[in-house]
Amino acid sequence: AAAADWDSQASVFASREAHLTGLLEAAERRRIAAEADAAECRSALEGATEERTRSVVSAQLLAMSEAGLRSSLAAAEASWSAAAAEVESLGASLRQEAARAAEL
């Protein structure tokens, strides 16, 4: 009976671990995508800023573009931060589950 109970607990842990690992991997993919989006926005923002300094005629249009890019960058950075926090939280949960399993 004890062996069956232990097998049952091990199965539950393996299922939880697989689920948390899947969530962790998905959060990591979102973090990487958000980081790439942020880098793209930064690059576009730098380009927009340089172009604005070269062209007085289109300064107003570029300022509007720059504001939009800044907003996109802020959103991408917030998304990256949220994904990084989720990765850390899921990692902590996985470590807790592993510690519980080690106690069995």
Side-chain angles (χ1 to χ4, degrees), residues 6 13 27 38 48 63 66-67 71 80 90 100 104:
W6 189 88
F13 170 74
E66 183 179 1
S71 176
W80 178 86
L90 290 171
R100 284 188 202 126
L104 297 179

Side-chain angles (χ1 to χ4, degrees), residues 1-103:
D5 186 46
W6 189 88
D7 286 345
S8 174
Q9 288 180 357
S11 176
V12 168
F13 170 74
S15 175
R16 285 181 185 164
E17 182 181 33
H19 178 70
L20 288 172
T21 299
L23 290 174
L24 181 63
E25 290 169 354
E28 181 65 13
R29 285 191 299 275
R30 285 194 307 276
R31 183 196 64 78
I32 290 168
E35 190 174 289
D37 288 347
E40 187 178 316
C41 287
R42 279 188 203 96
S43 177
L45 178 59
E46 288 170 6
T49 301
E50 289 172 9
E51 181 63 27
R52 187 184 68 194
T53 59
R54 281 187 236 120
S55 176
V56 174
V57 175
S58 60
Q60 185 176 12
L61 291 174
L62 287 171
M64 290 169 40
S65 175
E66 183 179 1
L69 289 169
R70 285 188 190 280
S71 176
S72 294
L73 174 59
E77 288 177 337
S79 177
W80 178 86
S81 293
E86 185 177 356
V87 165
E88 181 59 33
S89 174
L90 290 171
S93 294
L94 193 55
R95 287 189 294 278
Q96 287 176 349
E97 288 292 335
R100 284 188 202 126
E103 292 175 5

